[in-house]
Amino acid sequence: MAEETNQNQAGDVGSNPAATAPEKPSADAKAAKKEKAPALEDKPFQEFMQQHYLPALQEAITKEGVPDVKLTFARQKYPIIGFNSAEECWQVIGSWQGGQRQFNVYFPDENIQGKKGFSCHEGKKPSTLESFLIDERKTTLELLVSRLVYRLNGQKWLGRN
């Protein structure tokens, strides 16, 4: 009889209803569980840029000590000196100090995962078009914002410089 008591105290599976295996969820429950909201980066390009990227970038640059930054998102020609292109592409254009400091981020593929470029200038048109985020496997909102702030800081344009 002492043996039976020890088995029950040790957790005899047969006598403990909580230790039995739970029932498998139905197929409907599994399907509902797998459905996740799409990632911000999977939204249509223009929607992502206007509703998520521009506000996040505005906030990040303002936090860096540039309260008068103006950001626009437009489809226009490349403003590079000596770059004769009739081609237009989507661009994020940022400026402050009355337009004296300006940068452009170019999206020729209309896709944040595609090719991207960067240019900047102080007071006159830019003369160099740089590649931007070319080594990244997956571009995210956080990455787009942080790397642009990092690049502008490298230009010594932000408040902490």
Side-chain angles (χ1 to χ4, degrees):
M1 189 158 196
E3 267 183 43
E4 285 181 34
T5 306
N6 287 340
Q7 282 181 343
N8 284 340
Q9 289 174 351
D12 183 8
V13 175
S15 64
N16 185 353
T20 59
E23 290 184 28
K24 292 183 179 180
S26 69
D28 292 336
K30 284 183 183 179
K33 200 177 212 182
K34 286 184 181 180
E35 289 180 27
K36 287 195 245 179
L40 293 176
E41 295 81 7
D42 293 335
K43 289 187 174 185
F45 176 72
Q46 291 181 38
E47 179 182 335
F48 169 80
M49 297 302 285
Q50 293 173 339
Q51 293 180 5
H52 301 287
Y53 184 55
L54 290 181
L57 187 59
Q58 178 84 38
E59 182 180 339
I61 293 174
T62 301
K63 280 183 183 178
E64 292 293 325
V66 182
D68 64 334
V69 67
K70 292 180 181 142
L71 298 174
T72 56
F73 177 63
R75 185 172 178 85
Q76 61 185 30
K77 293 179 183 178
Y78 293 88
I80 310 295
I81 293 175
F83 189 77
N84 295 325
S85 175
E87 204 176 309
E88 291 185 347
C89 77
W90 285 103
Q91 301 174 37
V92 172
I93 302 125
S95 66
W96 62 94
Q97 292 184 348
Q100 285 299 317
R101 289 187 172 169
Q102 182 172 322
F103 69 87
N104 296 54
V105 181
Y106 307 95
F107 296 88
D109 295 340
E110 294 186 35
N111 180 348
I112 65 167
Q113 305 302 336
K115 295 176 188 174
K116 293 171 279 304
F118 172 84
S119 67
C120 61
H121 62 89
E122 286 189 82
K124 49 188 167 181
K125 289 191 173 202
S127 59
T128 305
L129 174 63
E130 305 171 16
S131 56
F132 184 66
L133 291 176
I134 59 171
D135 294 333
E136 305 303 326
R137 293 173 110 198
K138 179 155 173 81
T139 303
T140 63
L141 174 62
E142 182 180 307
L143 188 64
L144 279 168
V145 171
S146 66
R147 294 299 164 93
L148 182 55
V149 169
Y150 181 82
R151 178 61 184 84
L152 294 173
N153 189 47
Q155 199 68 29
K156 307 251 187 257
W157 281 5
L158 300 181
R160 63 182 178 208
N161 286 310

